[in-house]
Amino acid sequence: MVGNLSLVGYGLATIGPAIAVGLIFAAYINGVARQPESGKLLQPIAILGFALAEALAIFGLVLFFL
């Protein structure tokens, strides 16, 4: 029963990073659409945000196995 409850907790915990990734890339696309010359400036920032958001999901996965 504990493993099943952890799996539900991990599933709920992945909702936050999924929303964050969507918001990050939506902001990136909006920024590039408004100013196409800023694409090279915004791309590393978007990738960094994506990595940080995905780190939360990976952290939740590790906690699931503990």
Side-chain angles (χ1 to χ4, degrees):
M1 182 67 184
V2 174
N4 293 336
L5 195 56
S6 295
L7 187 61
V8 171
Y10 173 66
L12 291 174
T14 57
I15 293 172
I19 292 172
V21 168
L23 290 175
I24 288 167
F25 282 104
Y28 172 69
I29 291 169
N30 274 337
V32 173
R34 288 179 183 224
Q35 285 189 312
E37 64 273 4
S38 67
K40 292 192 184 266
L41 177 68
L42 294 176
Q43 187 176 15
I45 297 170
I47 297 296
L48 179 65
F50 170 74
L52 289 174
E54 284 299 317
L56 289 176
I58 293 171
F59 186 67
L61 181 65
V62 169
L63 288 179
F64 167 71
F65 286 114
L66 292 180

